Amino acid sequence: MQGEVRIDKLVKTYETRQRKGLIKSEMKLVEALKGVSLSIRPGEVFGLLGPNGAGKTTLIKCLTTLLLPTSGEAWINGYRLTKDDNAIRATVGCMLMGERGLYWKLTARENLEFFGALYHLSPRARRTRADGIIERLSLGDIADRTVETYSSGQKMKLAFAKALINDAPLLILDEPTNTLDLPSARELRAVVRELNRDGKTVIYTTHIMAEAETMCDRVAIIDRGEVLALGTVPELKASLGREEVTRIEGVISAGANEAVGRLAGVSHTALTAVNGHTQLTVVSADQRALLPRLIEALVAHNALVQKIAPEEVTLEDVFIARTGRTLAEDTAVK
Amino acid sequence: MAATYSPPTLGQSLSSALAEARLRFVNISRYPGQLVLEIIIPIVFAAMPMLLGRATAGAQAGANFEANTGTANYVAFLLIGSNVFTIVSNAFWHMAYWLRFEQETGTLESIYLTPTSSVTLALGLSIYSAVRALITASVSYIAGCLVFRVNPFQGDVLLACAFIAVGLIPVYAVALLFGALVLKVKESNALIGLMQWVVSFLMGIFFPVAVLPPVVRWVALAFPPTWMTNGARSALLGVGFFFDKWYWDMGVLWAFLLFTPLFSFWVFNRVENGVKRNEGMGQF
């Protein structure tokens, strides 16, 4: 069915060379996807949320036929992966690698028309489609300038435009708002919503939880090649049960973090750097009961606390609860 | 929205190939100096042995050359060699370096996301490269002949063009083989550089293949550029075909033309699948 994706136990392993000095090297097996199974319904915006290195891009590269999976099966728009690869490519619009996927010596219009030709559009259809996209994304002022003269944000916008050239029922967008300034990111998200209202299914990968929360009907949290949680945003938040989140900002050592983690009632903690401070996120069953002991433990470990606040559960908290780490950390697959 | 998929027609594939060729032409039009260089370099390249010959043999240069090669027109002989070398060299660089360059800039993954096959893309690239090389080589050959005051159009010009045209297809097929190698080992400059000099030596860029040692001569005959160069020289300058009659030499080039592309695409597809099975096309 158009716009539908079904993935069944998809595994991707590959060998990578590890350099050991000038001459020596050894091959290392990387398990990038460890049996991923999920279904994406037609017409929904589906978020793939996970830190860098979690396996999101590998999954997308498998779904877009850039990589051959080691085992498992997938159906995209009703076409079977590895059997109907040309059909899959023709019916998926994809934004991968951001600005790197463009020809910098060509103009936006030339880029769009070239990719239109690779999707086997007639010369007239290419021109009409390119003009329509340029207008929709307000690229008119820069459409006839070579891409090398664009700002990073303009290049990202054009990369997004390129994903629309084949008017596919399924759009796969890998970190589409990376390097965009706030207004441009907002504008792009609005267009994605509009396209979704027009009936397109969207797979949206991001490591920005707020973006996933506002954009996605359902979210899969991926880490180290596995789907850790899948559901609507309220469902995922509710999966933490009665647990609550407290965030403490200041100068907090790893020792303090460990001490807090050992307190009764604390299920998870994570220490991250935020705007030059450290931020300790504590997931616990009863915030009020915990607070005095929490402060005591921090003071005992010479923590300088600047702000302490109970907060609403976010998707990042769900991630922390599942992994004990934050989304900001790179989690290269082992 | 795009409805169900139907495989591209021959016309659609050709249109995609031409779009690829057009993209390259638009791109090179933004580097016009490169085209001027491609016209000048073969003349300079041929001028070096030409002037050395004049310096060492003086007025006897033509006669000495004729005694060993079958033509006194060493200027055209050397210019044909240097221009065919430029054509072959461009084929290697355009095909193999194209893959590497696109891999590094990220556009290789972009084009692999589309339903256009690598065969179609290679065809488009070959059209661009061949047209570019033929134009610059022709201009360079004629200009070189005029500079050194010899007639560029002596002999059978049409037959010489036929040898070059038929030879181009297996040359691009061999270049695609090197593209596959570059994709596999992720190293382009050294590989292409080495290959272009080996081929230039074997095809007899500045000398007839007959002067090579017997074993090397047999290796040389396994490369299409050797037959292209000798065919063009024989048609224009009468240096003698390998098989005495032009049509036998042409037949060998046709055999290369039929076999080499099939073999190259087979190898390329295997390498492509191997790369996809491992880290992917974009990994450089």
Side-chain angles (χ1 to χ4, degrees):
Chain A
M1 191 176 178
Q2 275 200 14
E4 186 183 35
V5 178
R6 280 184 293 137
I7 304 166
D8 188 24
K9 298 185 190 111
L10 211 64
V11 173
K12 176 68 188 173
T13 55
Y14 58 83
E15 280 192 322
T16 184
R17 192 180 292 276
Q18 300 266 305
R19 295 283 177 191
K20 305 223 163 188
L22 272 179
I23 299 163
K24 274 189 177 176
S25 67
E26 66 179 41
M27 297 307 283
K28 190 184 167 198
L29 195 69
V30 176
E31 270 188 283
L33 296 176
K34 301 172 185 168
V36 170
S37 295
L38 53 90
S39 291
I40 298 166
R41 299 165 195 147
E44 75 175 338
V45 180
F46 188 89
L48 285 175
L49 184 66
N52 294 327
K56 306 183 302 278
T57 303
T58 302
L59 177 60
I60 280 180
K61 285 188 174 180
C62 283
L63 297 181
T64 51
T65 76
L66 288 176
L67 287 175
L68 284 171
T70 309
S71 66
E73 292 185 322
W75 290 263
I76 296 113
N77 291 323
Y79 298 109
R80 190 170 166 189
L81 191 66
T82 72
K83 293 273 183 278
D84 311 309
D85 284 1
N86 274 339
I88 291 171
R89 286 193 282 263
T91 55
V92 172
C94 195
M95 178 185 178
L96 269 179
M97 308 144 310
E99 61 193 59
R100 288 192 70 241
L102 302 166
Y103 289 95
W104 288 25
K105 275 283 172 190
L106 302 190
T107 65
R109 202 182 299 280
E110 285 166 344
N111 265 287
L112 291 175
E113 289 188 16
F114 169 67
F115 283 102
L118 298 192
Y119 282 102
H120 306 307
L121 299 179
S122 69
R124 179 188 269 188
R126 281 173 225 164
R127 274 192 295 275
T128 315
R129 195 77 58 83
D131 288 346
I133 294 168
I134 286 166
E135 198 186 324
R136 184 168 204 170
L137 296 180
S138 314
L139 288 168
D141 291 344
I142 57 166
D144 296 306
R145 265 170 43 195
T146 52
V147 174
E148 63 192 347
T149 64
Y150 291 9
S151 69
S152 200
Q154 288 169 328
K155 285 176 194 151
M156 281 299 276
K157 224 167 160 183
L158 178 60
F160 176 64
K162 182 172 75 65
L164 307 180
I165 194 70
N166 59 333
D167 193 22
L170 173 65
L171 274 180
I172 300 183
L173 308 174
D174 190 18
E175 311 267 3
T177 53
N178 255 3
T179 75
L180 286 184
D181 54 31
L182 283 175
S184 302
R186 202 176 301 134
E187 192 187 337
L188 187 139
R189 283 194 288 264
V191 177
V192 172
R193 273 191 219 100
E194 219 175 276
L195 291 164
N196 176 245
R197 274 196 296 276
D198 292 347
K200 287 187 195 295
T201 307
V202 181
I203 301 179
Y204 197 100
T205 81
T206 180
H207 64 276
I208 307 166
M209 55 178 176
E211 192 166 53
E213 287 193 41
T214 54
M215 289 295 295
C216 303
D217 300 316
R218 288 194 306 146
V219 172
I221 294 178
I222 295 190
D223 189 43
R224 292 182 173 157
E226 289 175 290
V227 176
L228 300 180
L230 196 160
T232 62
V233 174
E235 277 169 4
L236 289 174
K237 287 180 178 176
S239 71
L240 283 186
R242 287 183 14 253
E243 289 181 318
E244 295 165 339
V245 176
T246 312
R247 265 181 251 282
I248 303 116
E249 271 182 35
V251 182
I252 303 160
S253 65
N257 175 30
E258 283 165 23
V260 171
R262 285 193 295 270
L263 294 175
V266 172
S267 52
H268 301 282
T269 64
L271 198 60
T272 46
V274 178
N275 302 329
H277 297 122
T278 39
Q279 184 182 71
L280 178 64
T281 307
V282 183
V283 183
S284 63
D286 187 348
Q287 217 170 51
R288 281 173 191 279
L290 175 69
L291 213 51
R293 286 181 292 127
L294 178 65
I295 293 168
E296 201 176 296
L298 288 171
V299 171
H301 285 82
N302 300 320
L304 180 66
V305 176
Q306 290 177 325
K307 186 179 162 191
I308 186 160
E311 285 189 10
E312 251 184 57
V313 172
T314 65
L315 279 179
E316 177 143 24
D317 302 323
V318 178
F319 184 80
I320 291 167
R322 303 272 177 171
T323 65
R325 288 175 290 109
T326 66
L327 281 165
E329 293 172 50
D330 277 15
T331 56
V333 282
K334 298 280 187 288
Chain B
M1 264 187 287
T4 49
Y5 171 76
S6 52
T9 61
L10 190 64
Q12 284 174 320
S13 292
L14 192 62
S15 174
S16 300
L18 290 176
E20 169 70 27
R22 187 180 177 278
L23 166 94
R24 304 291 148 191
F25 279 116
V26 171
N27 209 41
I28 194 67
S29 72
R30 280 149 206 182
Y31 299 96
Q34 184 63 33
L35 297 175
V36 176
L37 196 70
E38 268 170 40
I39 292 168
I40 294 170
I41 288 287
I43 302 173
V44 175
F45 206 36
M48 288 189 273
M50 210 182 289
L51 297 175
L52 178 68
R54 281 183 186 174
T56 52
Q60 300 303 311
N64 287 351
F65 200 78
E66 187 171 18
N68 293 306
T69 62
T71 179
N73 189 352
Y74 59 90
V75 170
F77 186 96
L78 296 174
L79 280 170
I80 291 169
S82 64
N83 275 295
V84 174
F85 167 69
T86 307
I87 292 173
V88 173
S89 171
N90 274 345
F92 283 130
W93 278 105
H94 292 168
M95 191 64 83
Y97 191 66
W98 158 67
L99 283 161
R100 186 71 186 141
F101 184 74
E102 299 249 343
Q103 204 172 38
E104 287 176 355
T105 56
T107 42
L108 191 65
E109 282 198 340
S110 269
I111 55 179
Y112 267 85
L113 285 170
T114 71
T116 295
S117 70
S118 45
V119 174
T120 307
L121 291 168
L123 174 67
L125 190 77
S126 303
I127 292 171
Y128 151 74
S129 177
V131 171
R132 170 178 160 180
L134 286 175
I135 291 172
T136 53
S138 305
V139 174
S140 177
Y141 173 70
I142 294 167
C145 285
L146 294 177
V147 167
F148 291 101
R149 296 182 186 175
V150 294
N151 176 13
F153 301 115
Q154 60 182 296
D156 192 340
V157 177
L158 279 181
L159 185 60
C161 291
F163 267 99
I164 300 286
V166 174
L168 272 179
I169 296 166
V171 163
Y172 279 99
V174 173
L176 187 66
L177 270 181
F178 276 86
L181 190 62
V182 165
L183 210 55
K184 180 84 182 161
V185 300
K186 302 182 193 306
E187 157 89 61
S188 58
N189 294 28
L191 269 179
I192 305 168
L194 177 70
M195 191 58 201
Q196 70 174 11
W197 291 110
V198 167
V199 170
S200 74
F201 173 71
L202 292 175
M203 71 181 225
I205 177 171
F206 294 142
F207 49 82
V209 177
V211 302
L212 291 171
V215 178
V216 182
R217 200 184 315 149
W218 282 109
V219 176
L221 292 175
F223 284 93
T226 310
W227 296 82
M228 265 169 91
T229 315
N230 194 63
R233 280 174 176 160
S234 301
L236 292 176
L237 309 173
V239 296
F241 293 101
F242 290 130
F243 281 122
D244 214 24
K245 298 287 183 203
W246 70 267
Y247 42 81
W248 289 115
D249 281 26
M250 183 64 89
V252 173
L253 266 186
W254 272 94
F256 276 123
L257 185 149
L258 295 175
F259 168 74
T260 329
L262 293 177
F263 179 69
S264 296
F265 283 128
W266 179 75
V267 171
F268 189 80
N269 279 332
R270 283 183 68 91
V271 171
E272 196 179 61
N273 278 336
V275 172
K276 281 184 177 182
R277 210 170 286 122
N278 205 32
E279 291 168 281
M281 301 301 293
Q283 192 71 36
F284 57 92

